[in-house]
Amino acid sequence: MIRDYIILLSWLCTVSGKEGYFWHISDIHYDPSYSIQGNGNGRCWNTKNSADIGHTRLNDKMPSAGIYGHYNCDSSWLLIESAAKVMKANPADGIEFVLWTGDALSRHESITEEYRLQYLKNITDLLSHTFTGQFVFPVLGHEDIGLNYSQIANLWSNWLPDEALVTFRENGYYTIEQRSKNYQIISLNTNLWLAANTGIDNRMPSQRAVGSSASVTLAAASPVISDADPANQWHWFGSTLNKARKKGKISR
Ligand SMILES: *[C@@H]1O[C@H](CO)[C@@H](O)[C@H](O)[C@H]1NC(C)=O
Ligand SMILES: *[C@@H]1O[C@H](CO)[C@@H](O)[C@H](O)[C@H]1NC(C)=O
């Protein structure tokens, strides 16, 4: 399911009159358990032989899932590969870079951290092979929580320069100053406001009330993040913007 994601990515650019192009990839939601034996009304998994009756089973009345996916399902690997192939086959003139704004993974509670990291690596490898001539700027999405930043930094070290890796390893945010260009990329990590165990946004109590009853219970049990500026992110963002402004990197 395509879910809203809470990502703030600032794209600072002095407009020099020249047109530029980039790909924006988001919400891949890779679900390794996707099965054509599943259907769009459940989790899209083959639960025929599973004891887990909580997930909808294949049912003649429900539309079945296709090999590339189903509108209500998270993505199969075939769908992701196919999308990558299309992007590779259509290298519109002058694609300068790729913004990859998170939610690469699927909300699949039972997958271990080790496997989630592996899936993120699979997608990272696919995008590396797809965009050999461009920089990919990756950002964390709310479905990508619960992973070790340092290990993700290792996956993304081909794209992120050392200075970016320093802050990413620690807190999941970074900036990249393109010295030869007029723009600067700032990538924030809004997951810092999420409760790591539930993924629920702690800033807005109203959000907690609209989750499933299970989430509400978990939210009530998890500590609310009261820190107004977790991991000093706003402070860092402000000073990064100030530095960029001084160097004339911001358009008005
Ligand atoms: C993901 O990577 C692992 C390890 O390299 C590999 O065994 C697996 O087949 C890959 N999965 C996909 C869908 O490519
Ligand atoms: C994250 O991984 C690094 C390197 O593998 C390790 O040193 C660090 O302790 C881990 N951090 C957490 C919070 O698990």
Side-chain angles (χ1 to χ4, degrees), residues 113 148-151 154:
E113 183 178 337
N148 179 314
Y149 296 142
S150 180
Q151 287 168 348
N154 293 344

Side-chain angles (χ1 to χ4, degrees), residues 30 32 77 81 118-119 121-123 125:
Y30 172 37
W77 185 254
E81 260 186 332
Q118 174 63 58
Y119 300 146
K121 180 172 185 321
N122 286 94
I123 301 169
D125 289 347

Side-chain angles (χ1 to χ4, degrees), residues 145-158:
I145 57 169
L147 296 176
N148 179 314
Y149 296 142
S150 180
Q151 287 168 348
I152 301 177
N154 293 344
L155 294 187
W156 293 346
S157 59
N158 280 349

Side-chain angles (χ1 to χ4, degrees), residues 59-143:
N59 173 330
D60 291 345
K61 291 188 202 113
M62 295 176 182
S64 61
I67 60 163
Y68 288 104
H70 184 287
Y71 186 74
N72 291 345
C73 299
D74 277 347
S75 308
S76 65
W77 185 254
L78 275 178
L79 176 65
I80 299 166
E81 260 186 332
S82 152
K85 219 185 247 176
V86 170
M87 288 185 284
K88 196 176 171 75
N90 293 285
D93 254 359
I95 290 282
E96 283 190 38
F97 58 86
V98 179
L99 295 180
W100 176 23
T101 53
D103 280 6
L105 302 175
S106 162
R107 178 160 297 187
H108 192 325
E109 297 84 355
S110 54
I111 300 182
T112 61
E113 183 178 337
E114 186 192 347
Y115 275 107
R116 284 161 56 76
L117 196 66
Q118 174 63 58
Y119 300 146
L120 197 58
K121 180 172 185 321
N122 286 94
I123 301 169
T124 300
D125 289 347
L126 179 69
L127 295 183
S128 298
H129 297 140
T130 303
F131 302 108
T132 47
Q134 289 91 10
F135 253 108
V136 176
F137 298 108
V139 185
L140 293 168
H142 71 168
E143 301 288 14

Side-chain angles (χ1 to χ4, degrees), residues 150-200:
S150 180
Q151 287 168 348
I152 301 177
N154 293 344
L155 294 187
W156 293 346
S157 59
N158 280 349
W159 293 323
L160 303 183
D162 289 349
E163 314 90 89
L165 287 171
V166 170
T167 54
F168 190 92
R169 277 209 167 88
E170 231 165 90
N171 297 313
Y173 54 71
Y174 66 84
T175 183
I176 298 180
E177 203 181 314
Q178 300 285 80
R179 291 196 179 84
S180 60
K181 313 251 163 115
N182 300 342
Y183 62 80
Q184 175 162 351
I185 295 281
I186 303 176
S187 159
L188 298 181
N189 176 14
T190 51
N191 289 347
L192 290 171
W193 284 284
L194 301 183
N197 53 343
T198 59
I200 290 170

